[in-house]
Amino acid sequence: MNLQETLRQRIKTHQKTVLAVACAADEEVISAVTQAVSEHYVSAILVGDEALIKDISSQHHFSLEGIRIINELDPVLACELAVKLVFNHEADLLMKGLVDTSVLLRAVLNKEWGLRTDHLLSHVTVFTVPTVDKMFLMSDGAMNIAPDVNAKKQIIENCIPVTSALGINNPKVAVICAVEKINPKMQATLDAEELSALQKAGAIIGCEVDGPFAFDGAVSIEAAHHKGMSNPNAGKADVLLMPNIEAGNILYKAITYFAQGSVACVISGAAAPIVLTSRSDSDEAKFNSILLAILMAQHKGVQHA
Ligand code: COD
């Protein structure tokens, strides 16, 4: 399955969406943004080192025509300016450029002019790998460090608008652990039991939550059969809820570095979708993530329990 093609096909209209980019002076970032502009997906406001942005663009023949640049060399201030553009409705989407994730997220979480809501914010990765003809979601590999059960519930809920935007109805969420059996010494397995019970009791809606599952039993029906797993959703996961940021981040990097997978990443739960890839990600991953953020903006209004 080709992730970019799927994303392109789901974007129905080319409405004028404005993308604000924080710390934009980076080859891959400018490449992805100028591609999105030239294909009329977005118009863009680049915040960052204007001279460097122009220098990189002329070196690589990226057209900056029609793109507004706001010159700000300080990364903290550049993040603040980009977030405020979205807060003030001058832009619809925010994108992380060449800056530490935590610096941008602190601006996003600002109490006066940030993009907070009454819900937790979390990072969602959509990915495909060449060996499986299916799209998966994985969360959270980049924002919430050590989520407790309540945070994990909200991380699951933040995946639902993404699955809806992708046309995945009633997704199967697998709570990923190291084993399939509850082990009181493994907190993730206790969380899995509680999250599954919460969903069965109606406190999480729009998906089915099962676990504990080890990774193989979550994504491979053959592995689930081999292990004798009786859960009918074993091996059929659409969404992988990772136990903590380390597990999520390692899986994310393994998808791109070892499995030659494709990714698209956003922060969900904020007042507007936020394109948030790793600094080392390719321009293709950044472009895919812009497409995903546009799709999410077009599918607003999903209810939580
Ligand atoms: N959603 C909503 N509000 C939040 C969230 C969240 N996910 N996280 C924190 N808040 C709120 C808190 O309730 C509080 O009001 C305020 O923000 C500050 O909370 P702290 O003190 O926990 O926040 P910070 O500023 O120390 O840290 C927030 C970060 C998101 C920056 C932090 O969690 C972090 O560094 N995450 C990892 C980012 C990272 O390095 N990723 C690397 C992989 S790319």
Side-chain angles (χ1 to χ4, degrees):
M1 168 176 255
N2 184 311
L3 178 60
Q4 189 173 112
E5 240 357 271
T6 307
L7 293 168
R8 281 180 185 280
Q9 280 166 12
R10 293 204 70 82
I11 297 177
K12 290 190 186 73
T13 50
H14 281 216
Q15 295 160 358
K16 252 311 178 223
T17 305
V18 182
L19 174 69
V21 186
C23 302
D26 173 70
E27 184 188 328
E28 276 69 31
V29 170
I30 301 173
S31 168
V33 173
T34 52
Q35 183 182 354
V37 171
S38 73
E39 295 191 27
H40 308 290
Y41 283 112
V42 292
S43 53
I45 307 173
L46 306 182
V47 186
D49 183 334
E50 182 169 8
L52 191 53
I53 290 169
K54 287 183 170 164
D55 197 35
I56 294 169
S57 301
S58 82
Q59 259 183 49
H60 298 279
H61 309 289
F62 300 138
S63 168
L64 293 173
E65 205 186 315
I67 294 180
R68 185 175 151 205
I69 302 177
I70 299 175
N71 186 38
E72 177 53 70
L73 272 60
D74 181 87
V76 174
L77 293 177
C79 288
E80 179 176 334
L81 282 172
V83 169
K84 282 181 172 169
L85 286 169
V86 181
F87 179 82
N88 294 326
H89 303 290
E90 290 175 67
D92 307 292
L93 309 173
L94 177 69
M95 177 171 178
K96 176 190 135 175
L98 191 64
V99 63
D100 272 359
T101 297
S102 57
V103 173
L104 181 68
L105 289 180
R106 287 207 173 94
V108 166
L109 291 172
N110 184 282
K111 287 186 176 137
E112 286 163 43
W113 43 260
L115 304 175
R116 283 167 168 257
T117 58
D118 55 6
H119 204 264
L120 187 88
L121 276 61
S122 52
H123 187 261
V124 181
T125 302
V126 178
F127 70 93
T128 55
V129 287
T131 44
V132 187
D133 189 25
K134 180 174 172 177
M135 202 160 38
F136 294 94
L137 272 73
M138 183 274 285
S139 192
D140 177 336
M143 184 167 191
N144 292 281
I145 296 170
D148 60 11
V149 168
N150 180 42
K152 285 179 179 175
K153 172 180 178 282
Q154 296 187 62
I155 290 171
I156 293 171
E157 289 171 338
N158 280 345
C159 290
I160 308 303
V162 185
T163 52
S164 302
L166 294 167
I168 305 169
N169 293 318
N170 206 32
K172 295 175 174 53
V173 179
V175 183
I176 302 297
C177 301
V179 289
E180 283 82 31
K181 292 197 179 82
I182 292 155
N183 178 344
K185 290 182 179 169
M186 295 185 191
Q187 183 59 42
T189 65
L190 299 172
D191 292 353
E193 183 186 34
E194 199 174 333
L195 289 163
S196 180
L198 281 171
Q199 184 266 311
K200 267 88 193 156
I204 303 175
I205 59 169
C207 61
E208 290 180 47
V209 180
D210 291 281
F213 284 161
F215 186 84
D216 51 355
V219 300
S220 160
I221 293 172
E222 290 74 27
H225 282 157
H226 204 117
K227 289 176 136 182
M229 292 169 70
S230 57
N231 189 310
N233 287 338
K236 299 178 189 163
D238 301 297
V239 176
L240 309 173
L241 177 78
M242 304 308 286
N244 55 36
I245 196 170
E246 286 84 9
N249 200 267
I250 293 164
L251 175 59
Y252 175 71
K253 300 284 161 69
I255 290 162
T256 47
Y257 284 88
F258 282 172
Q260 281 72 51
S262 297
V263 292
C265 311
V266 287
I267 295 285
S268 180
I274 302 169
V275 177
L276 199 143
T277 55
S278 179
R279 278 166 293 173
S280 58
D281 275 331
S282 64
D283 50 357
E284 186 194 317
K286 293 180 201 299
F287 179 72
N288 290 348
S289 304
I290 295 171
L291 296 184
L292 180 61
I294 294 169
L295 254 184
M296 284 181 65
Q298 291 183 355
H299 283 79
K300 275 185 190 157
V302 173
Q303 308 286 312
H304 297 304

